[in-house]
Amino acid sequence: MMHNGPVTEVSRPMQIFIRADSSYQMGTGHVMRCLTLAGELRQRGAEVTFICRDLPGNLAGYIRSKGYAVELLPQPNDPSYAAFWLQTDWRTDALETVQRLTLASPAPADCLIVDHYGIDRRWEQALSRHVHRLAVIDDLADRPHECSLLLDANASGARDRYQGLVPDSCVKLTGTGYTILRPEFRSAKQRLAERDGRVGRVLVFFGGTDPTGETLRALQALQNPAFAHLHLDVVLGGMNGRKEAIATRCSAMPNAEYHCQIDYIAELMRKADLSIGAGGSTTWERCYLGLPSLTIVTADNQREITALVHEQGAAYSLGETSDVTVQAIEQGLHFMLAHPAKVKEMSGKALQLMGEDRWDEVITRIIGGN
């Protein structure tokens, strides 16, 4: 029977794509923070699809396990790009991304979010006619972007650092208040007790892959009998190539507890009195929960954030991975144990550094436009 009544248009979910990569070499931080963003967007009714390069140690399987579609770009076949973030030339990556976009969404996507150090204005311009809006997550401010929204939680409110790098019409959300944090961190913050500076529990975490092997070096330092009274929470991602060796080392240390690919690190940070970790995006998670830390720079892109937090007194930098010895880690620990007032002060400065939480504005801008 033909229906002659008024036709009701069925609204479709907002189509959002995220271009981000992960690998043994580059780590998992970009994808993990994008998963947090994706979770918030999905709660608002958006349909989120990831576009990722098929690199060794990628998190495509993990992303799918969280219920998201993943469009995999081919494995790179030109070794001359092996040392670069994108692992191929930008034109090839842009073309392959356009192909995946048009296959998954024949009409222009509502929004494309880019979180990638290897992508700049040229790539973004090539994608612009295939999406209604393009948002960029960056923390380097070292290259131009063609986007309508830019998010940089590392900029500490320095809006002018993107002057000339983005269009005048671009909305810039800069500063630690825009840090991408999983809901578990906000839950842990509500239950956070003031730290008194005494160190009894130490969290060891160097990111999802720890390509420079810092976890084992930290454990070597912590085997010093002077630290036998400390409870150690040792955390690593499932893609860590040294996880068997780390598990073996932890099993030989009565005070060490081994945690692999967990979803409760915020709770471990809440309980910890001190952290030993890398100077990447986890820095802001530690600061959000007022967790003092000894940090080691394990990649070039960590230098700025590590120097900033060190200068603010919210963490203590041990330096670059090439310069940090087991003895340097031991000395840092001895200092923290001997100066609880300094540790307490560090906790307060970390909390102060994060400022007002403005996370909801990020989601509102992406969903509702600029």
Side-chain angles (χ1 to χ4, degrees), residues 145-253:
H145 292 291
E146 187 69 34
C147 57
S148 57
L149 177 69
L150 182 132
L151 171 65
D152 182 354
N154 290 1
S156 298
R159 290 180 177 272
D160 59 342
R161 83 185 205 136
Y162 284 95
Q163 187 69 36
L165 294 180
V166 296
D168 293 340
S169 59
C170 175
V171 175
K172 292 172 283 196
L173 305 182
T174 59
T176 52
Y178 295 107
T179 300
I180 299 175
L181 294 165
R182 297 190 299 279
E184 64 176 282
F185 284 93
R186 290 178 172 82
S187 175
K189 181 75 168 277
Q190 294 173 358
R191 295 176 285 112
L192 191 63
E194 184 179 0
R195 304 177 193 277
D196 61 13
R198 291 177 295 181
V199 178
R201 187 164 185 154
V202 176
L203 172 68
V204 180
F205 176 53
F206 285 92
T209 58
D210 184 15
T212 56
E214 306 300 330
T215 305
L216 282 172
R217 183 158 39 170
L219 287 175
Q220 187 177 344
L222 286 161
Q223 283 184 305
N224 185 317
F227 309 130
H229 66 289
L230 299 174
H231 176 90
L232 311 177
D233 288 303
V234 183
V235 180
L236 59 149
M239 295 298 181
N240 190 309
R242 301 176 178 87
K243 60 184 177 182
E244 288 81 9
I246 294 169
T248 300
R249 181 72 61 89
C250 287
S251 66
M253 300 173 67

Side-chain angles (χ1 to χ4, degrees), residues 3 71 111 113 118 129 192 215 244 246 271 287 292 339 342:
H3 179 68
E71 294 286 340
C111 185
I113 300 169
R129 66 188 181 91
L192 191 63
T215 305
E244 288 81 9
I246 294 169
K271 292 179 178 179
C287 286
H339 297 87
K342 183 67 176 177

Side-chain angles (χ1 to χ4, degrees), residues 43-91:
Q43 280 193 349
R44 305 284 184 97
E47 188 173 286
V48 183
T49 301
F50 281 74
I51 300 176
C52 307
R53 178 73 58 189
D54 189 3
L55 301 172
N58 73 78
L59 291 181
Y62 183 73
I63 297 170
R64 291 187 178 112
S65 75
K66 297 298 181 181
Y68 301 99
V70 180
E71 294 286 340
L72 270 183
L73 305 182
Q75 293 183 3
N77 56 12
D78 188 341
S80 65
Y81 289 97
F84 296 91
W85 287 103
L86 208 52
Q87 301 281 292
T88 187
D89 68 280
W90 70 266
R91 288 184 181 86

Side-chain angles (χ1 to χ4, degrees), residues 14 16 33-34 36-46 113 133 149 151 173 178 180-181 186 358-369:
M14 187 176 188
I16 296 178
R33 69 184 177 187
C34 283
T36 299
L37 182 56
E40 295 282 351
L41 294 169
R42 184 164 60 181
Q43 280 193 349
R44 305 284 184 97
I113 300 169
R133 289 200 310 280
L149 177 69
L151 171 65
L173 305 182
Y178 295 107
I180 299 175
L181 294 165
R186 290 178 172 82
R358 307 184 70 175
W359 172 236
D360 192 60
E361 184 181 349
V362 176
I363 305 302
T364 301
R365 291 281 189 180
I366 292 173
I367 291 290

Side-chain angles (χ1 to χ4, degrees), residues 95-142:
L95 176 62
E96 291 170 348
T97 301
V98 167
Q99 291 171 344
R100 296 306 191 279
L101 269 176
T102 53
L103 281 173
S105 179
D110 294 297
C111 185
L112 171 62
I113 300 169
V114 177
D115 187 351
H116 207 299
Y117 292 147
I119 288 175
D120 62 16
R121 178 183 290 161
R122 299 167 299 176
W123 187 101
E124 292 151 3
Q125 287 176 336
L127 270 290
S128 60
R129 66 188 181 91
H130 300 279
V131 297
H132 288 297
R133 289 200 310 280
L134 200 148
V136 169
I137 301 172
D138 190 19
D139 46 35
L140 298 180
D142 64 346

